[in-house]
Amino acid sequence: MRHILVLMLFTTLSFAAEKSEGRKIAEKVDANNRGFGDETVHTTMYLISARGDTVVRKTVNMTLEREFSEDYSIIQFLDPPDIKGTGLLTYQNPAGDDQQWLYLPELRRVKKISSANKSGSFAGSEFAYEDITGNTLNKFTYEKTGDEEYEGIPCYILTKTPNYKNSGYTKIRMWVDKEQFLTHRMEYIDRKNSLLKVQTFGEWKEYGKGVWRPDQINMENLQTQKKSSLIFKDRKMNRGLKESDFTQRRLERLIH
Amino acid sequence: MKKNIRSALLGLVLTHATLYANEYRLGDGYFLNVRGHVGFEYWAFPEADVDDISTLFGNLDLRLHPREKWEIRLHPRLVVDFENSDRSRVRPPLFDDLYFNYYSSKFEVRAGYQIFSWKTVESNSPADFLNQKDWEEDLLDPEKLSELAVRARLVAYMDNEHIFEFYLIPYHRPAMLPRVDNPYYFFPSSFMITNDRNEHQYAYDMGAWMPQGAARYSSTYLDFLDLSLFYFFGYDRFPGLFEKSSDVTGNTVVAHEYRPIMKTGLTFQGVLGSWLLKGEVVANNHLEEVTQMPPPISETDNPSNRTFEIDPFVAYTVGFEYTLYSLLVQNHDVGLILEFLGDSDFNTPVGDLGSFRPFRSHVFGGLRYAWNNVSDRSVLIGGMYNYWEAIENGETEFLYQAEFSERLFKHLVVKIRFSDLVITNTRSQLYSFRDNMRLDAEALISF
């Protein structure tokens, strides 16, 4: 009996240690994302249908890093031309729903929109809103579930589970390299516990002190055979952007 | 003559269609952003005894700026109706925007011709009145006309941003109303509405040059509710119509009368989960008596001008929007809109209203089905129903519209629209349009 109790205690402690390790890994991954101050980047999004037809969307994205991950961001469309100037302003709220406003340039109108649907598609792509508008650390619980090489790179396998409502995923698996804690692959498991999407990352580059960004992100929907790719260029950080650059008024002007 | 114009404009369309440019650098530190579109629209009226309408339209939006502090915007718009030259907007040219804008983190000032939006609802907006409208081009969905104005914004930061806006509109732009060959002409043809501003009547001696002003405050409360409060003093945008004279053929010339009005109100929009709540409430107070001709019913009708007071009234639209995500198919979203449109004068006879206020006891329902695919295909269906007339008098008044749109080949967007009015209520201001079932087809090339 005593042996069983010791075994149970040992198993519990081991399990708890694995969970803590998962959180630690996630914190190191997050540290590679943070410390940028502010960021502006031009993004080209390629949307590829199951038949291979490709459509291009272009945006310029601005982000302001704030305390407690309550970041502000603006995404403004540059292409296709009929929606050029359409902008999405987001005030992230790690504890609940983000605040979002949509600017419609033809109507000169700022419209408030619901951010409750995290699982909805962003601009018709395979990226969901929750994939794009912030993977705030505390929105998930983390568990290290293995070790594996990915394309010759030794990686931890980290499994994160959303702990917010309306997520389209039951869990997400990440391949995180053991040396630099950069993510190389992510697998998204849907609400039916089926593998839904696979995300891979292009070449990672370091911007300034310890801030890393990939130059390309690819997403493939294994159930529909559709794909989307994000190509980033002209990335600038620490330009001195302020909170006043992330307001409804700012949406009325073009972003550069 | 018309063929020459069509050929010239077709060449212009093709030229502009190949000008796929975004931003040009001009000299040292100055940039010019270019965008615009050209399009063609065709309206058919299967039930009415009116000609179909074909319209060529386009605009060019130019912004000159040094990246920060200021910008100059030049935004002309062109409309050519091949059948009815009254609807064309070529001479003088229209400018949707022609202004200089200076801005900083706490202060902005914009001076020149500009278009504003205070709208938060999807259907009829009582708060979005600052700009005059071009009712002649499309009575059902009029374009805004730019106003010569100066707008100053002051921004105060406390827990969040508080914005104070002040508007000066030194000149009143008269309305463009449908004239006798327009499919939406609402009088018998022996009554000739004129849009000649020399014929218009103003309550004050300064006429159209009486300065008009507005003030508006807006901020976000409780972390979710965007609220604005506003005040306006100036001329009412939609005119009263009075009998001015008779022309040489004996037809009655009907001119516009513009009366001073004070408007105060609020707008709000807020999100709670998947619900978007929004609304507008506006109190209207006419400051002078109005002179107006009762709407004539027939060619031989002989209404006389009468002078009367319009009682203060409150107009409102409140409602909500709810989105069902991936309802039936992954990435296909359905948006549901429900709005209530009301007016404290909902039971007042139309002859005593003093202006065009057709939506006084209506409910608007709308549905948007979006494929969320690469071509942004969507279907919109909406309708406005007069519930008060149905309940009280058993009358029907239902205005509905359906629209399909899709982007093809990146630069081309096509739309097909259908609208109709089912109405038995002869007392409604919309009754004149009972035969105006309309089928639209539109193609738009953007650059």
Side-chain angles (χ1 to χ4, degrees):
Chain A
M1 179 62 175
R2 196 170 69 173
H3 293 300
I4 293 172
L5 287 171
V6 167
L7 186 62
M8 283 173 65
L9 180 63
F10 181 74
T11 306
T12 304
L13 288 170
S14 300
F15 187 65
E18 291 287 348
K19 269 192 158 181
S20 296
E21 189 176 2
R23 174 72 188 201
K24 284 179 188 172
I25 294 169
E27 286 172 357
K28 288 183 180 175
V29 172
D30 189 62
N32 283 329
N33 289 330
R34 310 297 292 174
F36 59 90
D38 61 74
E39 180 175 351
T40 308
V41 63
H42 282 72
T43 306
T44 302
M45 183 163 30
Y46 295 90
L47 312 181
I48 306 163
S49 71
R51 291 187 316 183
D53 301 325
T54 302
V55 167
V56 178
R57 305 262 162 108
K58 292 184 180 176
T59 64
V60 57
N61 304 11
M62 282 200 323
T63 308
L64 179 70
E65 190 176 25
R66 298 175 77 241
E67 275 189 323
F68 313 116
S69 296
E70 292 179 347
D71 296 352
Y72 290 172
S73 67
I74 291 181
I75 299 174
Q76 190 178 74
F77 280 86
L78 304 176
D79 204 58
D82 63 292
I83 60 170
K84 180 180 176 181
T86 302
L88 177 67
L89 169 66
T90 302
Y91 289 178
Q92 276 181 219
N93 177 11
D97 290 334
D98 302 335
Q99 282 199 79
Q100 289 189 308
W101 295 264
L102 186 67
Y103 178 65
L104 304 166
E106 293 298 324
L107 303 176
R108 279 109 162 137
R109 184 181 160 198
V110 176
K111 182 181 162 126
K112 200 140 193 180
I113 61 173
S114 167
S115 67
N117 173 51
K118 301 287 188 259
S119 61
S121 157
F122 175 73
S125 73
E126 295 312 304
F127 295 94
Y129 277 102
E130 60 185 311
D131 304 338
I132 288 182
T133 57
N135 287 287
T136 314
L137 198 61
N138 292 332
K139 283 191 167 180
F140 300 87
T141 53
Y142 302 89
E143 190 179 336
K144 175 176 170 288
T145 50
D147 300 84
E148 191 176 282
E149 271 196 6
Y150 177 77
E151 295 188 347
I153 303 170
C155 291
Y156 299 114
I157 300 178
L158 188 68
T159 299
K160 62 179 185 178
T161 305
N163 54 27
Y164 54 90
K165 288 188 298 186
N166 300 320
S167 173
Y169 315 121
T170 52
K171 59 185 169 201
I172 300 164
R173 282 195 288 263
M174 301 166 63
W175 276 251
V176 178
D177 84 65
K178 292 184 177 182
E179 194 175 314
Q180 291 178 303
F181 295 92
L182 300 172
T183 307
H184 296 283
R185 178 186 172 91
M186 293 172 74
E187 289 181 352
Y188 294 82
I189 312 300
D190 66 15
R191 291 179 189 145
K192 295 176 187 170
N193 275 319
S194 302
L195 178 59
L196 175 64
K197 304 189 293 192
V198 171
Q199 183 172 341
T200 55
F201 299 81
E203 188 180 335
W204 285 88
K205 292 191 177 111
E206 188 173 12
Y207 291 84
K209 271 191 190 172
V211 178
W212 290 80
R213 294 283 187 271
D215 61 1
Q216 182 171 339
I217 301 177
N218 305 303
M219 185 76 87
E220 182 176 358
N221 189 316
L222 299 179
Q223 295 179 10
T224 64
Q225 314 306 315
K226 298 199 300 189
K227 300 175 192 173
S228 300
S229 291
L230 299 175
I231 311 289
F232 304 100
K233 66 173 189 174
D234 298 332
R235 197 189 297 273
K236 298 184 180 73
M237 294 184 182
N238 275 312
R239 292 171 62 197
L241 297 177
K242 303 182 289 291
E243 291 188 2
S244 58
D245 293 307
F246 295 83
T247 61
Q248 296 175 48
R249 297 175 291 122
R250 185 64 185 88
L251 290 171
E252 296 172 359
R253 300 194 303 274
L254 297 174
I255 292 170
H256 314 285
Chain B
M1 176 66 173
K2 280 186 181 175
K3 278 187 184 171
N4 289 338
I5 293 172
R6 281 179 194 161
S7 301
L9 289 170
L10 189 59
L12 196 66
V13 167
L14 291 173
T15 303
H16 278 189
T18 56
L19 184 60
Y20 300 142
N22 276 327
E23 186 172 83
Y24 298 97
R25 181 184 287 269
L26 302 176
D28 186 22
Y30 296 94
F31 300 87
L32 179 69
N33 280 92
V34 180
R35 66 174 291 224
H37 64 253
V38 291
F40 181 79
E41 194 171 25
Y42 185 82
W43 296 354
F45 298 90
E47 289 184 342
D49 184 22
V50 295
D51 291 333
D52 294 348
I53 288 179
S54 48
T55 310
L56 184 72
F57 60 92
N59 75 51
L60 189 64
D61 193 352
L62 305 171
R63 296 200 201 206
L64 175 67
H65 58 89
R67 288 270 200 257
E68 53 185 25
K69 293 295 184 194
W70 61 266
E71 68 172 0
I72 294 173
R73 190 174 182 187
L74 181 68
H75 189 186
R77 180 162 60 91
L78 180 79
V79 179
V80 178
D81 183 327
F82 293 108
E83 308 299 333
N84 181 354
S85 59
D86 283 345
R87 289 185 66 255
S88 292
R89 301 287 180 256
V90 179
R91 282 197 301 265
L94 263 184
F95 284 92
D96 280 352
D97 300 280
L98 179 57
Y99 62 72
F100 173 82
N101 186 30
Y102 170 83
Y103 56 90
S104 68
S105 61
K106 292 185 181 172
F107 175 71
E108 288 179 34
V109 64
R110 200 163 83 178
Y113 286 93
Q114 47 197 301
I115 291 177
F116 310 104
S117 178
W118 289 358
K119 187 175 186 180
T120 62
V121 295
E122 307 310 313
S123 62
N124 187 57
S125 169
D128 200 23
F129 58 82
L130 277 187
N131 285 96
Q132 188 53 276
K133 295 199 173 85
D134 194 344
W135 308 91
E136 183 169 35
E137 195 195 331
D138 187 352
L139 186 73
L140 294 186
D141 189 17
E143 291 278 353
K144 288 181 181 175
L145 295 169
S146 60
E147 298 283 353
L148 180 63
V150 178
R151 183 187 71 182
R153 268 179 177 161
L154 299 170
V155 183
Y157 293 97
M158 283 167 256
D159 48 340
N160 59 334
E161 207 173 66
H162 298 262
I163 301 173
F164 300 87
E165 295 174 335
F166 303 95
Y167 298 73
L168 173 65
I169 303 174
Y171 175 76
H172 174 264
R173 186 167 196 161
M176 302 297 286
L177 297 181
R179 283 177 280 180
V180 71
D181 291 327
N182 193 297
Y184 291 103
Y185 191 65
F186 43 76
F187 282 173
S189 57
S190 60
F191 293 83
M192 311 289 284
I193 292 177
T194 175
N195 285 334
D196 180 356
R197 58 189 68 192
N198 294 319
E199 301 286 346
H200 300 337
Q201 186 166 286
Y202 287 88
Y204 296 138
D205 291 341
M206 291 183 75
W209 287 102
M210 183 196 77
Q212 306 169 83
R216 180 171 179 244
Y217 160 78
S218 51
S219 187
T220 300
Y221 287 89
L222 304 173
D223 287 334
F224 82 97
L225 187 70
D226 287 0
L227 179 71
S228 79
L229 306 170
F230 59 84
Y231 167 83
F232 168 81
F233 168 77
Y235 287 118
D236 208 357
R237 273 14 187 182
F238 201 92
L241 298 171
F242 70 100
E243 179 191 343
K244 175 108 184 193
S245 60
S246 294
D247 66 14
V248 293
T249 59
N251 291 323
T252 305
V253 175
V254 181
H256 306 189
E257 186 205 50
Y258 292 99
R259 322 77 173 261
I261 191 169
M262 213 161 60
K263 291 178 183 269
T264 53
L266 65 88
T267 68
F268 65 89
Q269 50 178 346
V271 172
L272 289 172
S274 295
W275 297 85
L276 170 62
L277 310 172
K278 52 221 171 133
E280 303 174 9
V281 182
V282 183
N284 300 267
N285 187 14
H286 284 86
L287 302 176
E288 303 282 338
E289 288 182 327
V290 303
T291 298
Q292 183 164 293
M293 174 187 77
I297 301 167
S298 69
E299 301 281 354
T300 55
D301 208 3
N302 189 23
S304 300
N305 292 334
R306 67 184 186 105
T307 300
F308 61 99
E309 276 189 15
I310 301 177
D311 291 332
F313 66 94
V314 175
Y316 63 87
T317 300
V318 294
F320 66 84
E321 197 172 317
Y322 186 84
T323 305
L324 299 157
Y325 301 99
S326 298
L327 177 67
L328 300 170
V329 178
Q330 182 78 20
N331 279 351
H332 289 201
D333 298 340
V334 178
L336 303 172
I337 302 167
L338 190 66
E339 292 178 353
F340 291 91
L341 296 82
D343 188 315
S344 54
D345 282 344
F346 65 91
N347 224 6
T348 300
V350 295
D352 294 333
L353 288 178
S355 65
F356 186 57
R357 289 154 56 188
F359 304 115
R360 292 178 290 147
S361 53
H362 288 68
V363 59
F364 170 76
L367 180 148
R368 178 175 185 266
Y369 190 95
W371 272 252
N372 270 334
N373 60 357
V374 298
S375 56
D376 286 335
R377 183 187 302 153
S378 70
V379 168
L380 302 169
I381 301 171
M384 205 92 85
Y385 182 70
N386 190 334
Y387 61 86
W388 180 257
E389 284 292 335
I391 293 170
E392 283 294 299
N393 303 312
E395 299 280 13
T396 301
E397 186 179 318
F398 182 45
L399 173 67
Y400 64 96
Q401 180 172 300
E403 176 182 305
F404 170 84
S405 69
E406 184 164 1
R407 182 185 304 109
L408 306 171
F409 312 120
K410 178 177 172 179
H411 292 276
L412 176 64
V413 175
V414 294
K415 290 185 187 177
I416 300 171
R417 267 186 297 264
F418 170 79
S419 58
D420 194 15
L421 174 64
V422 178
I423 187 165
T424 60
N425 177 18
T426 57
R427 295 179 304 282
S428 169
Q429 289 181 317
L430 298 177
Y431 189 70
S432 303
F433 313 117
R434 59 194 178 279
D435 294 326
N436 283 92
M437 176 194 286
R438 189 171 110 187
L439 296 167
D440 295 9
E442 178 185 307
L444 187 79
I445 296 175
S446 299
F447 55 89

